Amino acid sequence: MTPESLRQSLRTRLLAWYDQNARDLPWRVGPAARRDGMRADPYRVWLSEVMLQQTTVPHAAPYFLKFTQRWPTVFDLAREDDAEVMAAWAGLGYYARARNLLACARAVAGQHGGAFPDTEAGLRELPGLGPYTAAAVGAIALDLPTNVVDGNVERVMARLFAVETPLPDAKPALKALAGELVGEDRPGDWAQALMDLGATVCRPKAPLCDRCPLAAACAALAGGAPETYPRKAAKVARPHRNGVAYILTQGDQVALVRRPPKGLLGGMLALPTSDWRTNGWSDAEAMAAAPASADWRSVGEVDHVFTHFSLTLRLLRAEGEAEGMIWTQRSGLDALPSVFLKAARVGLANLL
DNA sequence: TATCCGTGGCC
DNA sequence: TGGCCAAGGAT
């Protein structure tokens, strides 16, 4: 149990640090403006939080600017076609987020008159809002004193209190520790301060403890090896798979398919492919699995790494026709997930 | 509860 | 270069 004096000290020091060191982010209302009563639009907070799930700030930021320019309100997003939103999300990864984003926008626009719920429990019921995102939107947009716990906060707590239990088993304890520090004063700034500290000072590698406002209280620093926290369970090896991707062209058009709505790259445009399996593909096998009979030529291969397996894709190219294809101009290939954009670029560049 | 689900930057 | 890492959620 954290003593009240320590709790107050940690809060005061971190909020003061945030006042001086808050990052300037496109979706953020800074501490000075918040003191003047300004609050971020819940739509923008929600959109940014969903984009930032398991995603770095530099990667998400351009997408946030593109989305908010094209769809300034939740109503604009809610009435957009699925294909347009999926295409705009292409390259950001974790495409279930985009499907849930639309479902959530339509729920808010249709059932709540365009206003997001004003309680954490209400937010938690929306598609794509789990414990973290519901707490974050509640704190940042509504100033609710929620317990916002992401990977940054887990790391800060693990170090501050030298938690020896490895992740992911330590998650409940780390969340409880973070919860003891939450207070009624400046909940939105508190949540963002903790995450900024984790992102810029209490970093995974090479933490900048000499710049940390909590260093005097940090048990891991006192122990001499703060960078070794949080402890982590051993990881499982990533298997490798092999497949064939087919680049079928008619002049400047390329044949694409729409992947099934769920599962890997669900709902996204894609190149037609074979199965992805452990064994490699011979020329004969690759021809037999092709979407059309044509003069297929081998035009190279690409490697790609997904979360739970790596992939080598042989590339076969031909000019011809096939049933059920979505014919797309080369300029439209930016609607493809990265793995297929990479494959298309390599395959179209390598002329035999 | 464990597994599935992307991507790009970094060292 | 391969493993690590990033503001997690759904099933």
Side-chain angles (χ1 to χ4, degrees):
Chain A
M1 212 44 110
T2 308
E4 182 58 21
S5 58
L6 174 59
R7 175 180 175 279
Q8 285 299 342
S9 171
L10 292 172
R11 286 187 55 84
T12 301
R13 280 185 274 177
L14 182 56
L15 285 168
W17 174 85
Y18 182 69
D19 287 337
Q20 298 299 318
N21 297 281
R23 287 179 292 174
D24 185 13
L25 301 172
W27 45 83
R28 174 173 287 178
V29 170
R34 287 185 76 100
R35 285 199 179 281
D36 293 337
M38 299 262 297
R39 290 294 178 272
D41 177 359
Y43 168 68
R44 294 167 59 88
V45 175
W46 160 72
L47 181 62
S48 68
E49 290 299 341
V50 173
M51 288 183 168
L52 287 163
Q53 288 167 8
Q54 297 290 285
T55 306
T56 59
V57 166
H59 194 188
Y63 286 85
F64 176 82
L65 296 173
K66 176 171 66 176
F67 269 65
T68 51
Q69 180 168 14
R70 185 168 174 184
W71 301 295
T73 74
V74 71
F75 294 109
D76 300 316
L77 184 58
R79 62 170 167 258
E80 184 56 271
D81 293 336
D82 291 29
E84 291 294 325
V85 176
M86 300 308 285
W89 195 275
L92 246 194
Y94 285 135
Y95 298 98
R97 293 185 296 173
R99 303 194 298 270
N100 287 327
L101 191 81
L102 261 176
C104 180
R106 288 167 182 162
V108 170
Q111 299 167 21
H112 298 87
F116 281 79
D118 60 359
T119 66
E120 186 178 11
L123 289 164
R124 182 68 181 78
E125 293 178 8
L126 293 169
L129 278 84
Y132 164 76
T133 306
V137 174
I140 298 168
L142 306 171
D143 256 337
L144 299 174
T146 60
N147 189 17
V148 181
V149 183
D150 69 338
N152 288 306
V153 178
E154 288 179 345
R155 183 171 58 257
V156 171
M157 294 303 138
R159 289 175 178 170
L160 191 56
F161 299 103
V163 174
E164 297 296 337
T165 309
L167 288 173
D169 287 355
K171 282 175 175 286
L174 296 172
K175 186 167 188 174
L177 289 167
E180 291 185 31
L181 297 178
V182 172
E184 298 284 339
D185 179 42
R186 303 176 63 187
D189 282 342
W190 174 255
Q192 295 178 94
L194 218 36
M195 291 190 284
D196 272 24
L197 185 75
T200 66
V201 173
C202 197
R203 307 182 298 188
K205 297 174 183 175
L208 304 173
C209 301
D210 56 341
R211 297 191 201 174
C212 181
L214 310 183
C218 183
L221 178 58
E227 71 281 359
T228 63
Y229 294 84
R231 313 293 197 207
K232 293 191 176 176
K235 305 212 168 177
V236 298
R238 198 196 320 263
H240 189 81
R241 297 182 190 171
N242 294 279
V244 187
Y246 302 92
I247 300 165
L248 185 64
T249 60
Q250 288 192 66
D252 193 41
Q253 308 261 96
V254 179
L256 302 181
V257 297
R258 177 76 63 185
R259 290 179 64 89
K262 294 185 178 181
L264 186 74
L265 310 172
M268 298 297 289
L269 286 174
L271 292 171
T273 75
S274 67
D275 292 336
W276 301 353
R277 66 188 193 193
T278 301
N279 291 342
W281 293 76
S282 68
D283 287 348
E285 289 175 321
M287 302 289 181
S293 179
D295 182 21
W296 293 104
R297 305 297 179 92
S298 185
V299 289
E301 62 182 38
V302 293
D303 294 310
H304 194 77
V305 180
F306 293 99
T307 304
H308 54 297
F309 68 95
S310 55
L311 175 69
T312 297
L313 229 36
R314 281 195 62 184
L315 305 177
L316 262 51
R317 175 174 167 179
E319 181 83 8
E321 298 186 22
E323 293 298 316
M325 295 295 161
I326 301 169
W327 291 94
T328 307
Q329 299 285 338
R330 295 192 185 195
S331 60
L333 296 179
D334 57 4
L336 291 172
S338 293
V339 59
F340 293 120
L341 180 59
K342 191 193 312 184
R345 280 180 174 157
V346 170
L348 291 170
N350 293 350
L351 291 171
L352 309 188

